[in-house]
């Protein structure tokens, strides 16, 4: 195919940059919403399609493929360009939405969700990669609040929309709504994306490495979803799948060392900033998403809120996360040691989570809301710091790969966080802990939630340690109106 040489591409105007950012953020919002919008509609879908025992696969199918393909999209976009790769991801996502909306039975719906995930996983990685193309790292931090805001809106708006569609309209609207919005996003970004140059010409995709990575990831996520729900953690089924996953991970590692051009460059993986930054994102996301899943269960079980009321109460976590990310994004260019912004935020979130665990049995809704806002503020500061640090650590040729790895570990952390806190909840007698969708009556003891909050805090402690170990590199680029650098 024809390659676009960087120096021949006309420069992008500010309006074109804003159009691209708006379009890819809309695409990312669609993919993020479809991780959360299905949960409250699952009982309705089960009654409509039957085979309710396969309901968890509506969520699992999407998660499996979305996580597994993220690094592959980063590499493909580095080789073939952002525009065709973004378009492919959107079209795959819309095809999955169409299959899901028209599904006559549960099995077709699960297949549609898996197809959706194969596109949605690419949108997560490509959105941040495209913004990385448009602005240098020093200015890029200012856009971080939009990414965090998109994730936060999806985590709260998804359950609300899903419940409304299922209760008052029809559950298939959850998927039909993606079609017009997806085409709007494609129309917005069509012309300006043509001006983005291809970063790594004359390179190839390691197909065998991609296959090994996808299979290894899918098996790992399958074990995490089965453990504690479908089968006990020490059952032959879970242990067997974990062992098979480990075998494929070993084969993938061997392929990385022997391939002429591996799927993920060893130069990228060996970068200490990329290594520590992606690992900290993995741990922080495990804590954040796990908390977001089980906090509504706590609000309904212990504080007696309804499903809709608990969704509204989750706005505190949403606003806190967006506020923390926005503040962090604005502060990063002004600090020499910008990593400390995230470290302070994580310490603050750890203290608030510990306090929430301490007062969980007798706290009022107001106290819980204040604490969740503060937790969101603290964890929100980390996303701009880790993203900008990782992207600033690599050259443009490896930007897609590095961002894909970051997105992959973020998604994997989400899955692990839900599985980890689900195991804690089940271990302390919380019903329906594996799904966190609805609560069968009130839970007699607050102990499961106290332990969930403490484990989430402990996970943040591990994330803080990795942040502390992450080296700092001076940010490339400039600001239009640079503020004085506050050397600490």
């Amino acid at each position: 195919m024809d390659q676009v040489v960087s120096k021949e591409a006309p420069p992008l105007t500010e309006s074109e940059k804003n159009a691209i950012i708006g379009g890819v953020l809309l695409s990312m919002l669609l993919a993020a919403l479809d991780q959360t919008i299905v949960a409250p509609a699952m009982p309705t879908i089960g009654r409509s399609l039957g085979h309710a025992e396969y309901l968890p696969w509506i969520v699992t199918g999407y998660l499996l493929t979305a996580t597994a393909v993220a690094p592959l999209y980063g590499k493909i976009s580095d080789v073939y360009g952002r525009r065709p790769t973004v378009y492919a991801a959107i079209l795959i996502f819309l095809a999955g939405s169409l299959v899901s909306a028209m599904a006559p039975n549960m099995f077709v719906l699960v297949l549609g969700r898996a197809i959706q995930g194969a596109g949605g996983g690419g949108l997560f990685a490509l959105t941040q990669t495209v913004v990385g193309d448009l602005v240098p790292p020093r200015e890029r931090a200012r856009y971080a609040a939009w990414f965090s805001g998109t994730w936060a809106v999806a985590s709260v708006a998804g359950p609300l929309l899903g419940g409304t569609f299922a209760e008052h309209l029809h559950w298939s609207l959850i998927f039909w709504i993606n079609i017009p919005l997806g085409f709007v996003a494609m129309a917005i970004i069509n012309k300006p994306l043509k001006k983005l140059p291809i970063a790594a010409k004359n390179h190839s995709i390691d197909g065998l490495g991609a296959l090994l990575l996808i299979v290894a990831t899918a098996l790992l996520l399958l074990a995490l979803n089965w453990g504690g729900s479908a089968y006990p953690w020490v059952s032959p089924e879970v242990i067997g799948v974990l062992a098979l996953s480990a075998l494929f991970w070993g084969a993938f590692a061997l392929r990385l060392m022997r391939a002429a051009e591996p799927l993920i460059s060893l130069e990228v993986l060996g970068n200490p900033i990329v290594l520590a930054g992606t690992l900290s994102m993995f741990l922080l996301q495990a804590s954040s998403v796990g908390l977001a899943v089980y906090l509504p269960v706590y609000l309904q079980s212990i504080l007696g809120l309804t499903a809709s009321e608990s969704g509204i109460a989750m706005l505190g976590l949403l606003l806190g996360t967006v506020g923390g990310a926005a503040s962090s994004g604005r502060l990063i260019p002004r600090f020499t040691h910008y990593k400390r912004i995230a470290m302070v935020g994580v310490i603050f979130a750890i203290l608030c989570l510990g306090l929430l665990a301490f007062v969980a049995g007798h706290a009022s809704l107001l106290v819980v809301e204040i604490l969740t806002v503060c937790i969101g503020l603290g964890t929100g500061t980390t996303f701009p710091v880790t993203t900008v640090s990782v992207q600033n650590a690599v050259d443009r040729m490896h930007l897609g790969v590095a961002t894909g790895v970051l997105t992959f570990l973020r998604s994997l952390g989400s899955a692990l966080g839900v599985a980890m806190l689900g195991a804690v909840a089940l271990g302390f007698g919380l019903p329906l802990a594996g799904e966190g969708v609805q609560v069968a009556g009130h839970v007699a003891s607050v102990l499961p939630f106290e332990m969930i909050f403490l484990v989430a805090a402990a996970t943040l402690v591990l994330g803080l340690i990795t942040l502390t170990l992450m080296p700092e590199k001076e940010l490339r680029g400039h600001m239009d109106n640079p503020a004085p650098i506050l050397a600490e």
Side-chain angles (χ1 to χ4, degrees):
M1 60 184 296
D2 296 335
Q3 300 289 351
V4 181
V5 181
S6 179
K7 64 181 180 182
E8 295 177 355
L12 287 164
T13 64
E14 285 301 314
S15 61
E16 288 174 325
K17 287 183 180 181
N18 291 334
I20 292 175
I21 293 172
V24 294
L25 279 175
L26 176 58
S27 304
M28 182 179 174
L29 177 62
L30 289 176
L33 273 174
D34 270 69
Q35 284 191 343
T36 60
I37 197 171
V38 174
M42 285 170 66
T44 304
I45 294 173
R47 289 193 296 269
S48 175
L49 299 183
H51 295 284
E53 65 272 19
Y54 295 106
L55 276 174
W57 281 96
I58 298 176
V59 176
T60 303
Y62 186 96
L63 188 61
L64 284 174
T65 52
T67 303
V69 301
L72 181 60
Y73 272 103
K75 180 69 172 183
I76 292 174
S77 71
D78 280 344
V79 174
Y80 295 109
R82 313 299 187 213
R83 181 173 177 269
T85 313
V86 169
Y87 265 42
I90 294 177
L91 289 174
I92 292 172
F93 178 80
L94 294 183
S97 299
L98 187 61
V99 172
S100 300
M102 300 178 67
N105 55 57
M106 184 67 68
F107 303 105
V108 175
L109 178 57
V110 171
L111 174 64
R113 289 287 289 166
I115 297 172
Q116 268 193 310
L123 295 175
F124 295 141
L126 292 169
T127 299
Q128 297 187 76
T129 303
V130 168
V131 174
D133 288 326
L134 296 176
V135 291
R138 183 173 292 277
E139 297 182 46
R140 200 175 301 157
R142 295 186 295 176
Y143 295 92
W146 293 97
F147 292 112
S148 297
T150 300
W151 280 94
V153 166
S155 67
V156 175
L160 292 176
L161 286 174
T164 300
F165 287 156
E167 183 178 350
H168 301 292
L169 299 169
H170 192 270
W171 62 264
S172 63
L173 284 174
I174 290 172
F175 308 110
W176 283 118
I177 194 175
N178 294 330
I179 308 297
L181 293 178
F183 282 115
V184 167
M186 293 175 69
I188 291 173
I189 61 181
N190 176 45
K191 185 177 180 180
L193 267 186
K194 293 179 180 179
K195 296 185 178 182
L196 285 184
I198 297 176
K201 299 177 295 178
N202 303 320
H203 287 262
S204 60
I205 302 296
D206 179 16
L208 178 58
L211 179 62
L212 291 172
L213 175 63
I214 290 172
V215 174
T217 305
L219 288 171
L220 175 59
L221 290 175
L222 183 60
L224 291 176
N225 278 274
W226 274 357
S229 55
Y231 303 99
W233 281 103
V234 294
S235 66
E237 290 84 358
V238 173
I239 294 176
V241 173
L242 283 174
L244 194 58
S245 175
L247 182 65
F248 275 94
W249 279 115
F252 176 66
L254 192 63
R255 180 66 182 175
L256 288 183
M257 293 185 285
R258 294 188 174 182
E261 187 171 344
L263 181 67
I264 302 175
S265 168
L266 294 178
E267 178 185 349
V268 172
L269 288 178
N271 188 305
I273 298 177
V274 174
L275 185 61
T278 53
L279 182 57
S280 63
M281 174 63 79
F282 169 80
L283 293 165
L284 294 166
Q285 190 71 2
S287 176
S288 298
V289 173
L291 180 65
V293 168
Y294 286 97
L295 187 59
V297 184
Y298 164 77
L299 292 171
Q300 295 175 48
S301 303
I302 304 301
L303 299 188
L305 272 62
T306 65
S308 59
E309 289 171 345
S310 66
I312 296 173
M314 287 291 290
L315 288 174
L317 192 63
L318 158 67
L319 296 175
T321 303
V322 175
S327 302
S328 178
R330 291 183 178 276
L331 288 175
I332 286 174
R334 302 172 181 268
F335 278 77
T336 301
H337 300 293
Y338 52 89
K339 181 178 71 174
R340 296 180 186 175
I341 300 170
M343 293 172 62
V344 171
V346 174
I347 292 172
F348 182 56
I350 292 170
L351 294 174
C352 292
L353 262 173
L355 183 58
L356 180 60
F358 181 73
V359 303
H362 55 270
S364 65
L365 177 60
L366 177 61
V367 171
V368 172
E369 281 291 282
I370 292 173
L371 288 174
T372 53
V373 168
C374 292
I375 292 167
L377 281 171
T379 56
T381 61
T382 62
F383 302 119
V385 172
T386 52
T387 301
V388 171
S389 296
V390 168
Q391 292 185 334
N392 184 63
V394 299
D395 56 30
R396 191 172 183 277
M397 182 181 297
H398 296 117
L399 180 62
V401 170
T403 308
V405 172
L406 182 70
T407 305
F408 169 72
L409 284 175
R410 180 173 184 163
S411 298
L412 194 60
S414 301
L416 179 65
V418 174
M420 175 182 65
L421 295 185
V424 173
L426 283 172
F428 287 89
L430 181 63
L432 297 182
E435 294 155 23
V437 175
Q438 54 183 329
V439 182
H442 292 276
V443 176
S445 172
V446 76
L447 181 60
F449 299 105
E450 293 174 343
M451 297 307 301
I452 285 172
F453 299 148
L454 287 176
V455 172
T459 308
L460 285 184
V461 171
L462 295 177
L464 175 63
I465 293 172
T466 57
L467 271 176
T468 305
L469 296 175
M470 184 180 73
E472 283 182 312
K473 180 180 178 181
E474 184 178 355
L475 297 178
R476 302 188 302 270
H478 59 84
M479 296 180 66
D480 295 333
N481 298 299
I485 298 297
L486 305 178
E488 297 172 24

